[in-house]
Amino acid sequence: MTHKGLIIRHLVFTGPNMKPAGLDFEPGSNLIYGASNTGKSFTLKSLDFMFGGKKQLPDFNERKGYEGIWLGFSLEGVGDFTLFRAISGGSYKLYDGLVKSAQIRQKVKTLSSIHNSKKDNNLSQFLLKYLELAGKLVAKNIAGEQDSLSFRNLVEILLVNETDIQIERSPIESGNSMTRTKERSVFRLLLTGTDDSSIVTNDNENTFITSKTARLEMIGEMIINVESKLAENYPNIDDLQTQLKLLDEQFKQIQIDLENAQKPIIKLVEKKRSLSVDISKISTRLEEVQLHIERFKQLEEVYLSDIERLKALEEASFILSLSSDLDCPLCGAPAEMQKHTESLRSIGEMQNASLVEIKKIELQRSDLKDTVHSLESEKEKLKAVLNDLKINLEKVEKEISLLVPDVNKSRLELGKIIEARDHARKGLSFLEQRDELFVKRKELNNLKKPSKADNPKLNLPANEVNEFCKVVSKVLKQWEFPGDCNVSFDYKTYDLRIDGKLRVDNGKGVRAIIHAAFKVALLLYCRDRELPHPGFVVLDTPLLTYRDPMKNPRLGDLTDDEKALAKTSVKERFFEHLASISPLGQIIVLENIDPPENIEDLAHVHLFYGNTGEGRYGLFPVSTNV
């Protein structure tokens, strides 16, 4: 299963005329160990600085000349990125890909180092959005007031320095009482995946008094404003209810009068509409009749023309039939010398055909005359009907015009009544508003300051805590921590009990290894339940119990429980277990003690030799000039 997580890939320091110095990292288990004062703890401080830390980095000779830091990292499922930040602090430059030098030209995005949940131009939001934690709220005090989750809140859990890993306090607290509630809320968010956005805030005493005073002042101003409007617009406020009742009765009566006045008009309007429709239909039909008459007149002229043509043809045929035995009138040829292409019979047939066609057309003319006569008769009737309709329409319009003034008068009276009624209602609304404000002011004056019992419950859910303790127990058993590894959670100190003994009651080395188990178990717990987690942990000196008191006198002699732990195989099992969980996240260990002999098979290793001259000096080379 692919989890969302951040994998640190490199930490590189650069400066003008300086040879780049830094470290590369791999997914899974990483170890940086070796001599003291070679840059191991400075590595952790630099990572903290690159994840939004404000504290200036320590200045020492080997660091001089370096001006910028390049943090390369991978976001699983997205790709590789690099952050650049000046050692002096300020904003970041975000590059695509793994970059170790500004010589590579590519687009750069500027990210602010200051968290702002309302903008995307800051490192915190960039990473929280990827982890699907952007916009989450966490309670910052026992009253339930909330802040937006910042990536810095997570970094304080993920990066564990040499002091915090052994100190006598909860692994998720910084020791600052002002931030304790928020730190516990962040831990609760990681355990449950649920933020505190649903919590109802309980004001503290100072906030309560300030809020109460401000609300009373606001209500007082509102009362003055309402009373001012009443005095200005309603001189007789005691009679408003009576006025409104009278106006309602008048409104109802005028509505009845208006309806009665409108009824005949409505009927007349309907009649007018009907007459208008009939006039339109009659006018349309009259136009159609007139058009037909004009077209039939044109047809009559065509018939007459055809008859004249046929009569001429018939007369010519008759003349030709009479002159068949005569000399040709054109050439004078005698009849016996003439040769005819058409016989007299054909001419006779033509004459008869013309007479038949004339008779046929005469019949058609007769039918046409009947039709025209019928249309002319219809035309006259339509004209008469149309005239009657127009006369009736004029009468209806006149009747309407006589009734409209009464209706308009009723409407005007109705409008005045509505205006007066609305004015009275508004006055009554002001009175109700004033009375409600009086009640609210009284309630506020009687309101008691909140007690601690009113604070929201910000406790950890027992089920999730028990499941987390099981994961811690499993981790300790994997490391072959001595005892039965029965783990429980102390809700008072927000720390662990191992076999009944509180973690802080052990020696430094035992406290350190249990703290490490706490942070590793939190990563495994979130991964197993598919809850958001940045996916990496950095531990400084978790195996403190294996120290040599002669080489580290400032840490004191080993206590009895540390001596017992030092005799176990926890150191070997610790690295073996971290190697086995490499697919689930990245763990970077900073140590002073020598690791197991097979460490190269278990982790990606950097060894700092210091002044022995046998290998790499430390994070920075002894001679830094190029």
Side-chain angles (χ1 to χ4, degrees):
M1 181 181 294
T2 302
H3 303 280
K4 282 194 171 186
L6 186 152
I7 302 171
I8 300 171
R9 304 305 296 271
H10 67 247
L11 180 70
V12 176
F13 298 79
T14 59
N17 302 318
M18 304 296 291
K19 183 178 180 181
L23 298 166
D24 61 287
F25 301 92
E26 295 292 334
S29 180
N30 292 261
L31 171 65
I32 304 169
Y33 78 103
S36 298
N37 299 318
T38 53
K40 298 187 300 296
S41 295
F42 184 80
T43 298
L44 186 144
K45 292 175 181 177
S46 299
L47 290 173
D48 180 74
F49 180 75
M50 291 304 291
F51 284 123
K54 297 179 181 178
K55 192 174 181 180
Q56 288 292 313
L57 292 173
D59 192 9
F60 47 89
N61 289 333
E62 291 84 356
R63 203 209 80 179
K64 293 186 182 300
Y66 290 98
E67 297 180 352
I69 308 177
W70 302 81
L71 176 67
F73 62 94
S74 300
L75 297 180
E76 294 187 79
V78 177
D80 298 329
F81 300 90
T82 300
L83 285 172
F84 172 81
R85 192 183 192 190
I87 290 181
S88 58
S91 299
Y92 299 89
K93 291 181 179 179
L94 178 67
Y95 295 82
D96 288 335
L98 299 177
V99 180
K100 298 181 181 180
S101 170
Q103 296 176 358
I104 298 178
R105 294 184 179 180
Q106 57 173 266
K107 291 183 179 179
V108 178
K109 182 178 181 180
T110 300
L111 295 176
S112 172
S113 61
I114 301 173
H115 170 73
N116 187 338
S117 63
K118 297 180 180 179
K119 295 183 178 180
D120 294 334
N121 62 346
N122 57 89
L123 176 63
S124 178
Q125 279 295 95
F126 173 75
L127 295 175
L128 290 177
K129 274 197 168 185
Y130 164 73
L131 294 170
E132 299 181 0
L133 288 171
K136 298 294 185 181
L137 299 178
V138 288
K140 66 178 181 179
N141 54 39
I142 60 174
E145 292 181 294
Q146 298 147 19
D147 272 346
S148 63
L149 178 70
S150 164
F151 193 73
R152 287 296 305 168
N153 302 140
L154 302 176
V155 169
E156 291 166 0
I157 293 177
L158 304 174
L159 304 185
V160 188
N161 62 41
E162 183 181 10
T163 300
D164 289 341
I165 204 166
Q166 58 174 295
I167 203 166
E168 297 178 14
R169 66 167 180 258
S170 167
I172 52 94
E173 294 178 6
S174 63
N176 184 349
S177 60
M178 298 297 293
T179 61
R180 180 181 296 122
T181 300
K182 187 173 184 179
E183 290 162 348
R184 292 182 174 186
S185 297
V186 173
F187 179 56
R188 183 171 59 252
L189 169 61
L190 292 175
L191 277 189
T192 64
T194 304
D195 70 350
D196 297 330
S197 57
S198 61
I199 289 177
V200 178
T201 303
N202 183 33
D203 295 333
N204 58 40
E205 184 174 353
N206 291 334
T207 303
F208 170 78
I209 294 173
T210 302
S211 174
K212 180 178 178 180
T213 302
R215 290 165 67 186
L216 283 171
E217 290 177 355
M218 181 182 68
I219 289 175
E221 291 176 359
M222 292 173 69
I223 291 173
I224 292 172
N225 183 46
V226 171
E227 289 183 335
S228 174
K229 290 179 179 179
L230 286 170
E232 181 180 352
N233 300 296
Y234 302 92
N236 300 316
I237 58 175
D238 295 335
D239 296 333
L240 280 176
Q241 193 65 50
T242 303
Q243 292 175 26
L244 182 60
K245 184 178 180 181
L246 179 61
L247 289 168
D248 281 335
E249 291 175 355
Q250 292 176 349
F251 175 79
K252 292 177 181 178
Q253 184 58 49
I254 292 177
Q255 267 194 323
I256 293 171
D257 294 342
L258 181 60
E259 288 176 2
N260 292 334
Q262 285 179 331
K263 284 179 181 178
I265 291 182
I266 292 172
K267 291 180 180 179
L268 288 171
V269 168
E270 178 60 29
K271 187 175 181 181
K272 178 181 176 181
R273 187 196 66 80
S274 178
L275 287 170
S276 298
V277 172
D278 290 343
I279 288 172
S280 176
K281 290 180 179 179
I282 295 297
S283 297
T284 301
R285 178 56 186 166
L286 191 58
E287 290 174 359
E288 291 174 354
V289 168
Q290 183 61 38
L291 183 61
H292 288 321
I293 290 173
E294 291 175 359
R295 288 178 177 175
F296 288 160
K297 285 182 179 180
Q298 293 175 357
L299 183 57
E300 170 69 11
E301 292 175 359
V302 173
Y303 284 163
L304 290 174
S305 175
D306 287 345
I307 289 172
E308 289 297 326
R309 177 180 56 80
L310 290 169
K311 281 182 178 181
L313 185 61
E314 186 273 330
E315 289 176 358
S317 298
F318 175 72
I319 293 170
L320 285 174
S321 66
L322 293 177
S323 60
S324 60
D325 297 330
L326 299 177
D327 293 341
C328 178
L330 297 176
C331 65
E336 64 272 10
M337 297 298 292
Q338 298 175 19
K339 185 178 180 180
H340 300 282
T341 57
E342 295 291 340
S343 66
L344 290 174
R345 183 179 177 182
S346 297
I347 293 172
E349 290 175 353
M350 185 179 296
Q351 182 182 9
N352 291 331
S354 297
L355 291 172
V356 171
E357 188 65 25
I358 289 171
K359 187 177 181 180
K360 180 181 178 182
I361 291 174
E362 288 292 352
L363 288 173
Q364 290 176 338
R365 279 187 66 208
S366 177
D367 292 339
L368 182 60
K369 286 179 180 180
D370 293 340
T371 300
V372 170
H373 178 74
S374 176
L375 289 173
E376 290 287 356
S377 177
E378 183 183 358
K379 175 181 175 182
E380 294 304 320
K381 290 179 181 178
L382 289 172
K383 283 182 177 181
V385 172
L386 183 60
N387 186 58
D388 292 340
L389 289 172
K390 288 182 177 179
I391 292 172
N392 289 335
L393 181 61
E394 289 178 1
K395 289 180 180 179
V396 170
E397 289 177 340
K398 188 174 181 179
E399 291 178 22
I400 291 174
S401 65
L402 293 174
L403 294 173
V404 164
D406 292 337
V407 173
N408 289 340
K409 182 180 178 181
S410 296
R411 285 177 177 171
L412 183 61
E413 291 177 358
L414 184 64
K416 291 179 180 179
I417 293 296
I418 290 174
E419 184 178 353
R421 188 184 64 173
D422 290 345
H423 182 72
R425 284 179 174 176
K426 191 174 183 180
L428 289 172
S429 175
F430 282 144
L431 287 175
E432 291 176 3
Q433 186 178 352
R434 185 191 65 177
D435 293 342
E436 288 175 0
L437 289 172
F438 284 153
V439 172
K440 288 183 179 179
R441 184 169 64 180
K442 184 178 180 180
E443 290 175 350
L444 268 178
N445 283 323
N446 295 332
L447 195 63
K448 305 296 182 182
K449 65 180 181 180
S451 64
K452 290 184 179 180
D454 298 320
N455 288 331
K457 305 303 179 184
L458 302 177
N459 299 327
L460 289 171
N463 183 62
E464 281 80 354
V465 171
N466 291 336
E467 292 301 314
F468 173 67
C469 289
K470 291 178 183 178
V471 178
V472 178
S473 175
K474 185 177 180 180
V475 169
L476 290 173
K477 288 178 180 179
Q478 291 285 337
W479 295 355
E480 295 186 0
F481 186 85
D484 296 330
C485 297
N486 292 321
V487 180
S488 60
F489 192 80
D490 187 87
Y491 288 91
K492 183 178 181 181
T493 61
Y494 264 61
D495 209 339
L496 300 175
R497 288 183 179 273
I498 312 299
D499 295 331
K501 186 177 183 180
L502 199 60
R503 185 186 71 92
V504 297
D505 293 336
N506 291 282
K508 295 182 179 70
V510 179
R511 293 198 298 268
I513 195 67
I514 298 176
H515 187 134
F518 186 107
K519 295 301 171 64
V520 171
L522 182 58
L523 169 63
L524 297 178
Y525 173 92
C526 291
R527 287 293 188 248
D528 184 57
R529 288 155 182 79
E530 298 185 19
L531 296 171
H533 188 286
F536 69 94
V537 179
V538 182
L539 304 171
D540 190 353
T541 324
L543 298 172
L544 180 65
T545 193
Y546 290 92
R547 70 188 182 277
D548 185 344
M550 299 298 292
K551 293 182 180 180
N552 296 280
R554 65 185 178 84
L555 297 174
D557 294 333
L558 296 176
T559 60
D560 291 341
D561 55 358
E562 288 181 290
K563 291 177 181 178
L565 181 61
K567 293 178 181 179
T568 68
S569 57
V570 166
K571 179 172 67 173
E572 290 76 13
R573 302 293 88 79
F574 172 80
F575 285 108
E576 289 174 2
H577 179 247
L578 296 188
S580 71
I581 62 173
S582 289
L584 299 178
Q586 184 184 45
I587 300 177
I588 300 173
V589 178
L590 311 172
E591 265 299 347
N592 294 316
I593 58 97
D594 292 332
E597 293 182 0
N598 65 336
I599 190 61
E600 297 285 350
D601 299 327
L602 304 175
H604 180 69
V605 180
H606 287 284
L607 172 57
F608 295 166
Y609 286 91
N611 292 320
T612 63
E614 297 180 14
R616 177 173 180 171
Y617 173 79
L619 177 61
F620 297 98
V622 176
S623 177
T624 59
N625 293 325
V626 176

